[in-house]
């Protein structure tokens, strides 16, 4: 027997973006409480007060199971949102040069899908299992994420519009929010790399923990950027239906 579950778009989006935040908070918290010494240990043998995300999600239990379960539940909604967002932007009727616009948006969406795919790879292949795949997936995730965010912002701010159709207040607010999250994300990545360089070359106490702190902020600002779509679709009464056996 089949039954239908109706979920509003807002509930669907809340689930998709709250779940990774819960996963990050719970895994880091559990690592601090039950695996503090091991999760904060580095090759430098100096004191630290925070574990890295990689250590928190891949080295200990139940953290590893929590992280992988959350992203198993979250992955399909995130792909669905990426697909719906592509359809949404391709249906804009105020855009000039529509044939080029379609190509650029499909390219941009490809970066988004790749970002989600590399996130899954680094989630399910930890650094102590196949280190090079985990590291390559992390770098690729960051690059695809930045390219997607940057290209979206450039389109929002600079793509020509049909004459006499100007930006409305909602569009101005949305592109401003995306720009702020993008700047915060770039800033966080830059600071985290600075602390990682100091950690590798000078082995100072607590510097690795500062890298870890900004690593958390990189993840949170990435989620914050993508969650702007909640404001974009807040006025739409879209119902998503799931068939359940």
């Amino acid at each position: 027997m089949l039954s239908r579950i109706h979920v509003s778009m807002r509930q669907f989006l809340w689930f998709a973006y709250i779940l990774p935040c819960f996963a990050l908070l719970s895994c880091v918290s559990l690592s601090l409480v039950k695996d503090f010494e091991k999760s904060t240990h580095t090759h430098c043998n100096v004191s630290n007060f925070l574990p890295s995300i990689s250590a928190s999600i891949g080295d200990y239990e139940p953290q590893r199971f929590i992280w992988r379960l959350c992203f198993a539940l979250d992955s399909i909604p995130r792909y669905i949102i990426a697909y719906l967002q592509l359809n949404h932007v391709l249906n804009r009727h105020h855009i000039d040069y529509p044939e080029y616009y379609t190509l650029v948006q499909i390219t941009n969406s490809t970066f988004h899908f790749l970002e989600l795919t590399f996130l899954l790879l680094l989630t399910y292949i930890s650094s102590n299992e196949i280190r090079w795949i985990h590291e390559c997936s992390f770098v690729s995730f960051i690059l695809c994420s930045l390219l997607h965010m940057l290209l979206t912002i450039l389109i929002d701010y600079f793509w020509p519009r049909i004459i006499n159709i100007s930006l409305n207040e909602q569009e101005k607010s949305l592109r401003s929010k995306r720009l702020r999250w993008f700047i915060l994300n770039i800033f966080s990545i830059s600071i985290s790399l600075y602390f990682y360089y100091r950690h590798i070359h000078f082995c100072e106490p607590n510097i690795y923990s500062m890298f870890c702190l900004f690593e958390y902020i990189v993840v949170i600002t990435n989620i914050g950027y993508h969650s702007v779509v909640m404001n974009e679709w807040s006025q739409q009464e879209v119902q998503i239906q799931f068939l359940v056996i």
Side-chain angles (χ1 to χ4, degrees):
M1 180 179 178
L2 296 177
S3 60
R4 294 179 182 272
I5 298 176
H6 295 266
V7 179
S8 72
M9 178 59 75
R10 190 159 188 84
Q11 291 172 328
F12 188 67
L13 293 171
W14 267 109
F15 175 82
Y17 296 119
I18 288 296
L19 200 58
C21 292
F22 166 77
L24 178 63
L25 178 62
S26 59
C27 289
V28 171
S29 298
L30 282 169
S31 296
L32 287 172
V33 170
K34 62 181 285 295
D35 299 298
F36 179 80
E37 293 295 334
K38 291 183 289 184
S39 65
T40 58
H41 177 76
T42 68
H43 72 282
C44 294
N45 292 317
V46 295
S47 60
N48 284 291
F49 58 89
L50 287 175
S52 68
I53 293 178
S54 180
S56 297
I57 69 174
D59 293 348
Y60 312 106
E61 300 171 357
Q63 295 95 303
R64 178 166 62 246
F65 301 135
I66 292 172
W67 185 265
R68 292 181 178 183
L69 174 61
C70 286
F71 276 86
L73 295 172
D74 192 55
S75 59
I76 293 178
R78 292 290 294 273
Y79 278 110
I80 291 173
I81 291 167
Y83 173 74
L84 292 175
Q85 183 66 3
L86 174 61
N87 284 339
H88 175 71
V89 296
L90 290 181
N91 285 326
R92 290 174 175 170
H93 302 296
H94 56 266
I95 298 298
D96 212 351
Y97 307 107
E99 60 282 355
Y100 298 112
Y101 177 78
T102 298
L103 179 61
V104 171
Q105 285 291 13
I106 290 174
T107 302
N108 192 24
S109 185
T110 300
F111 287 132
H112 192 183
F113 281 107
L114 286 173
E115 173 191 348
L116 298 175
T117 303
F118 286 122
L119 178 59
L120 279 179
L121 276 176
L122 68 90
T123 292
Y124 287 99
I125 303 176
S126 67
S127 58
N128 59 1
E129 291 171 336
I130 309 178
R131 188 178 185 86
W132 72 268
I133 293 181
H134 182 85
E135 291 178 347
C136 289
S137 298
F138 176 76
V139 172
S140 299
F141 162 73
I142 293 294
L143 289 176
C144 289
S145 170
L146 291 175
L147 286 170
H148 170 63
M149 287 190 278
L150 177 61
L151 193 51
T152 301
I153 289 167
L154 290 175
I155 293 169
D156 284 347
Y157 275 88
F158 300 111
W159 197 275
R161 302 164 70 91
I162 295 174
I163 297 173
N164 299 327
I165 299 181
S166 58
L167 285 167
N168 59 41
E169 291 303 316
Q170 185 191 38
E171 288 175 316
K172 290 178 182 178
S173 174
L174 290 171
R175 74 178 192 178
S176 177
K177 287 177 181 178
R178 286 196 176 99
L179 180 60
R180 288 198 296 269
W181 281 117
F182 176 65
I183 291 171
L184 286 172
N185 189 257
I186 287 285
F187 175 78
S188 303
I189 291 171
S190 301
I191 298 299
S192 67
L193 290 175
Y194 164 72
F195 282 119
Y196 188 75
Y197 174 83
R198 284 182 56 178
H199 161 67
I200 291 296
H201 289 86
F202 304 110
C203 278
E204 301 166 270
N206 299 317
I207 289 298
Y208 188 69
S209 293
M210 294 303 298
F211 158 75
C212 297
L213 175 62
F214 280 92
E215 186 184 30
Y216 306 159
I217 298 173
V218 169
V219 173
I220 292 169
T221 52
N222 176 274
I223 296 169
Y225 174 89
H226 288 296
S227 69
V228 172
V229 74
M230 296 176 66
N231 302 110
E232 190 167 9
W233 295 349
S234 62
Q235 304 303 318
Q236 301 183 27
E237 295 297 328
V238 179
Q239 296 287 331
I240 298 175
Q241 298 183 12
F242 297 95
L243 290 177
V244 180
I245 299 176

